[in-house]
Structures are given as structure tokens and as C-alpha cells.
Amino acid sequence: MPGSVPPPPPAAVDASTPSAVAVSGPAHLLRVTLLMAGSCLPILGAVLIAPVLPKMQDHFASVPVDGAAGVPERWYAAPTFYFASPYAVYGPNDDIPVPPGSSVLDFELEVAAVIGKEGRNLTPEQARDHIVGYTVFNDWSARDLQSAEMKVGLGPCKGKDTATTLGPYLVTADELAKYRDTDGFLRLALTAEINGKVVGKDLLSNMSWTFEEMAAYASRGTVVRPGDVLGSGTCGNGGCLAELWGVRGEQSPPPLKPGDTVTLTVEGIGSVSNTVVAGPDPMSIPVARRRTRERP
């Protein structure tokens, strides 16, 4: 309404999903039930921010696309993951800048589980009680930077830390219980679109490990805490451009460019839709010194 005071940012709820709660940070996760029971702002006219500002992001890898070499046997032994930056989280409708120095930007359609209770050395059965809810997760990836970094033999760094989209809501775990199959997987339909054209579809139940199993593995020998976000790994069948490039042997569709809009939809949770914009030029740093192994 013109001239009215804009609503404060903490919470926004879609009336059609009574347990879909947007919270402003990890400290609020333990008060989700209070938010649901108390006064909430109408969704109309509200600006949705990321439903959680994570302290840590664990991203679990999907099956590598490599038709020639196949999948390494070690991949099946335990979930493979890396830590992504918790400082580059964008909301469900925010513009996404191209990472500095990249010309091969990609999206990744995922679902994220959000930890709501601290735990250490959890079993999968225990881990279920530690997951407070789920949200859509877009793990934006600069494939050219990532490819160069991986040649060193360490995990991705600048190829992954420019942007992560979370949203549009944190849907509490009980709301998705009806989608759980007999093996414990959430059978949710996933759709990826670029500029309104569908490029990928899959079912979340095609994951190799359940969220509870991944949370248990993440807690092994350490602690998961409220606000930690665990990405499912990229869905198959067009959940990212890199998968399609590997199958087709060419960059088709082409890498994302400014003006492209990526919309990711997860059944039972909602959609995030972000438009790519130009990013800053990279700051110049010198190449490393080449030194001998001799020491005084």
C-alpha cells in the first residue's frame, strides 16, 4: 500500500502452506513452533529472504557423470561432501552475480535439510529428530574455476563460494512425511527451468543416501548444530548444465549469462527463481613463486 511502513523482515508465511516458515537465522530454528503458533505476516507484498542463514553448509556430491571411466567404487562407500561458504546465501528471488573471472556459470538443483538440534555421532535413526525442515537449494557453480581448482587435488573453492540460493520457505519435516517412501526417501518431484524452458526433471527419492544417513555421516566425530544446512547433491536428468554437457558432448544449453533466469521447483516446498546479472571483475593477484625444495 503506498505510503505504508514496510513490514519487518523476520517472518513470512504462505497461507497455503501452514508449516512453511521463513526465519532470519539459526537462533530462530528452535522457535519454529512458536512462529507457527504466533502472529505471522501475510505473504502478499512481503519480500522473502533466505529462510535460514546457515553457519555451515555441507554439500553432498551427486553421482559423477563420466560414461568412459564409470563411477569409482569408493563413491559407494560413504557420502562425499565438501563445505561451502555460509556467507554467500541469496534469497529465492535475488539476482545472482556472475563469479569474478568466470564465463561458465551453472546451476545445481538440490534440496537442503536444515539441522534444528545439536548432535554428535548420530545414527540415521537419531538424525531424523535433528532435522527441523527442508528448503530448495541452488548450488551455483563456476565450472571453469571449479575445473581448474580440482586439478590440484583439493576440493572446490572459488568455483563454489559466490552464491547459494535457499528458499522460498523452511518447510518443517512433518509436512513432508507423507512423501516418504518405504526406504526412507522423500519422493518429491524436481524441475529445473531456464528462461521458462524445462531443462531437467527428477525425483528426490533417486538419492543414494537418505538425509538421515547423510546427517549421521556429517556428525561422525564432530557436531552438527542448529542452522547447519546439508545439500542433497545435484538431482539427475538435467539438474545441472554440466550433466547435460557430459551426456551430449557439447555445452548445450550454453553456460548461464546475465539476463538468464533459473527457476527451480520442488514439490511440497516451492520455487526459487533467480536472474543472473554481471558480476565484478576479478582482483588481480600474482602467480605463485616457483621455489626449490632446498632449505637453509
Side-chain angles (χ1 to χ4, degrees):
M1 181 179 299
S4 63
V5 178
V13 175
D14 184 345
S16 66
T17 53
S19 292
V21 180
V23 295
S24 60
H28 293 273
L29 287 172
L30 299 181
R31 298 191 294 161
V32 165
T33 54
L34 297 179
L35 283 170
M36 290 189 293
S39 298
C40 296
L41 298 173
I43 192 68
L44 184 63
V47 176
L48 295 180
I49 60 174
V52 60
L53 302 180
K55 295 182 293 183
M56 175 185 75
Q57 292 180 61
D58 286 351
H59 173 83
F60 289 83
S62 58
V63 177
V65 179
D66 188 349
V71 178
E73 190 63 29
R74 175 61 194 173
W75 190 90
Y76 296 97
T80 299
F81 70 94
Y82 64 87
F83 293 109
S85 172
Y87 307 115
V89 175
Y90 286 79
N93 301 114
D94 290 340
D95 291 342
I96 303 298
V98 174
S102 175
S103 60
V104 189
L105 180 61
D106 195 359
F107 70 91
E108 291 188 12
L109 169 53
E110 306 186 32
V111 173
V114 181
I115 299 298
K117 184 170 66 173
E118 183 174 308
R120 175 191 290 271
N121 292 322
L122 301 172
T123 66
E125 292 73 24
Q126 292 170 332
R128 179 168 295 185
D129 292 333
H130 290 255
I131 296 174
V132 69
Y134 300 88
T135 191
V136 183
F137 185 118
N138 188 343
D139 181 33
W140 300 88
S141 303
R143 298 300 186 194
D144 44 355
L145 304 184
Q146 180 186 6
S147 176
E149 292 163 354
M150 298 300 285
K151 291 177 181 177
V152 180
L154 297 175
C157 48
K158 304 310 292 183
K160 289 282 190 176
D161 71 350
T162 292
T164 296
T165 297
L166 296 175
Y169 316 108
L170 173 65
V171 177
T172 52
D174 60 303
E175 287 293 311
L176 298 182
K178 61 185 177 183
Y179 296 99
R180 196 176 296 277
D181 66 18
T182 56
D183 294 320
F185 292 90
L186 294 173
R187 188 179 173 85
L188 305 177
L190 312 171
T191 306
E193 300 173 66
I194 300 177
N195 301 326
K197 180 180 179 180
V198 174
V199 296
K201 284 188 173 184
D202 200 2
L203 288 174
L204 188 62
S205 52
N206 286 328
M207 293 169 59
S208 295
W209 287 275
T210 66
F211 281 105
E212 291 79 10
E213 290 164 343
M214 293 192 302
Y217 187 68
S219 74
R220 183 184 294 181
T222 185
V223 178
V224 292
R225 290 191 168 92
D228 289 349
V229 172
L230 280 65
S232 63
T234 312
C235 78
N237 197 35
C240 67
L241 293 175
E243 179 190 15
L244 297 176
W245 299 340
V247 170
R248 298 171 181 174
E250 60 181 10
Q251 288 189 346
S252 174
L256 299 171
K257 62 184 184 304
D260 287 339
T261 297
V262 177
T263 302
L264 308 182
T265 301
V266 178
E267 181 181 7
I269 299 178
S271 299
V272 298
S273 188
N274 304 95
T275 299
V276 177
V277 297
D281 293 330
M283 298 295 293
S284 177
I285 61 169
V287 298
R289 292 178 294 168
R290 297 181 182 273
R291 298 183 293 178
T292 68
R293 300 302 300 172
E294 295 179 359
R295 295 291 184 269

